[in-house]
Structures are given as structure tokens and as C-alpha cells.
Amino acid sequence: MSNSSFTPVLSNRDMGNAIHDEVVPAEHPWSGIVRKGQVFRIIDSEGCQAVDTLFYSLADHTERYSAQDTVLAQGAPYIGPGSVLYSNRGNPLATVIADTSGSHDTSAGACSCESNTVRFGHQTKYMHACRENFLIAVSRHGMGKRDIVPNINFFMNVPIDPDGTLAIADGVSSGGDYVEMVAHQDLLCVISNCPQVNNPCNGFDPTPIRVLVWAD
């Protein structure tokens, strides 16, 4: 399935020149450092895989991605080519410079065991979720639950109805689609490769992703 209204912005970077190249297994967390001026790419390896993502300033983790500031600054609810990702202090963290999928969500937030229970029933309480993945990842860097803020959901299709209602719909990304960003300061990137199987954000079948970093 593709997004017919979206014009891809391609990258000419050679994956063989990446200084970091790693596959993140399905349902797993990941964290890594991206230095100022470096380029960071997330690849949806098999398609229709939501990638919940947060950015923190490496120098001060209390400065972190702000969905509100980002949406306000660009005057649009989705992340795509040219989007500047802003911090809670109004500073640019990164800019999207290549994107083959488009319309990445930054409104629906991360799934949790508690929200799974409310949305899908108490029988889902045991299921691993993105908030738990985030907690695992940020705890490695001295942070806790209070440091987990509203995130970007790369490759997640969340239409907004005229009345403001959000819906999680079938994904539009295909295998090999990617989004690429350049960092404006030293960043800690935290990812939950979403384990959700109760709605279509992962095509009901979570799959691996790939992350790469280039020196520039």
C-alpha cells in the first residue's frame, strides 16, 4: 500500500559508508547517540511498522523532543520532508532531509499496558508495549517514567477527522521505506520498535527495522 499523494524525497547516501548500521529486532527498544551534523536514518525493513521515537539533548536530558512545539512551528500535524523537530525549549533538534513514506504521526503517542487494557480489554494487560520499551531504553541513561514524553510515530498512519478525532489506520509504508534526519545538536535517540498487535499500526505483525548513522 502506498501514499499516492506523497512525493518522496530521496537520499543519495551510500549505506556502505555509514558509521553505524544496526538491525533492531521486532518489538525491541533501541538507543544511540547521534552527534551534531551527523545524519540518522530509520528504515522500515518490511513495511507497515510503527517506529516510536524520542530525541533528547545529549548535554541535558531535560531538553527533549516536543510534539507541541514541533506542530506549532510548522503549522501541520504530521512529520515529513523539511520538518524541523523542536525541543521543549524551542531549539531545533533535527531536520527531516529525506523521506520515502510521509505523514509520520506525532499526535497519537505511545501504546502502554494501561492503554491496551482500556482500548482492547483486560486480556491484553500482559502484552509488552512501547511505553515499557521506552522505560527500558531511557533507564540505561539515568532517566525514568517522567522523562517519557509524547513521541513521533514514524511510518504510523493516523488520519485526523474534521472533528479532531484520531484513528489508527492501515500503514502506508512499504518495505525499504526510510526517513532521514540531520542532527542540529548532539542527541540521544530512543526508539521503541512497536510491539502492538491489537491495531493495524504494524499490520498486526511487528517486524525488524534498521538504523544507520553517517558522519555527515
Side-chain angles (χ1 to χ4, degrees):
M1 186 176 184
S2 62
N3 184 353
S4 59
S5 64
F6 174 71
T7 301
V9 176
L10 304 179
S11 171
N12 61 2
R13 286 180 174 78
D14 183 345
M15 290 193 289
N17 294 331
I19 60 173
H20 184 86
D21 185 350
E22 182 176 353
V23 172
V24 182
E27 306 183 12
H28 281 227
W30 178 88
S31 64
I33 293 171
V34 182
R35 297 288 180 180
K36 181 178 180 179
Q38 292 184 340
V39 173
F40 177 59
R41 181 188 293 181
I42 303 173
I43 301 176
D44 185 356
S45 301
E46 299 183 28
C48 297
Q49 174 60 44
V51 184
D52 293 42
T53 306
L54 284 170
F55 294 99
Y56 300 83
S57 170
L58 189 62
D60 180 359
H61 292 162
T62 64
E63 181 173 11
R64 67 280 302 264
Y65 175 71
S66 170
Q68 298 91 330
D69 287 279
T70 298
V71 168
L72 180 63
Q74 68 177 0
Y78 299 111
I79 303 300
S83 291
V84 180
L85 311 181
Y86 283 94
S87 77
N88 56 327
R89 297 179 186 171
N91 297 318
L93 299 173
T95 296
V96 176
I97 56 174
D99 183 5
T100 64
S101 177
S103 297
H104 307 280
D105 167 68
T106 192
S107 301
C111 61
S112 67
C113 294
E114 293 77 12
S115 65
N116 281 346
T117 299
V118 171
R119 293 172 180 170
F120 310 115
H122 287 280
Q123 73 277 6
T124 66
K125 175 68 175 177
Y126 76 95
M127 291 180 174
H128 195 54
C130 283
R131 187 166 176 83
E132 285 63 46
N133 268 346
F134 277 148
L135 184 56
I136 291 169
V138 301
S139 67
R140 299 169 181 159
H141 303 277
M143 292 183 280
K145 287 183 178 180
R146 291 186 177 182
D147 298 294
I148 301 171
V149 296
N151 56 282
I152 303 172
N153 292 307
F154 288 114
F155 310 109
M156 184 166 156
N157 185 21
V158 182
I160 302 175
D161 293 335
D163 65 357
T165 302
L166 301 179
I168 298 175
D170 292 337
V172 297
S173 59
S174 300
D177 273 341
Y178 59 84
V179 60
E180 194 171 279
M181 294 148 278
V182 60
H184 295 304
Q185 55 179 284
D186 291 350
L187 299 175
L188 170 65
C189 175
V190 175
I191 284 175
S192 168
N193 193 16
C194 184
Q196 183 61 255
V197 295
N198 297 291
N199 68 46
C201 70
N202 300 321
F204 301 101
D205 181 23
T207 53
I209 61 168
R210 187 176 175 185
V211 296
L212 300 97
V213 178
W214 285 265
D216 54 30

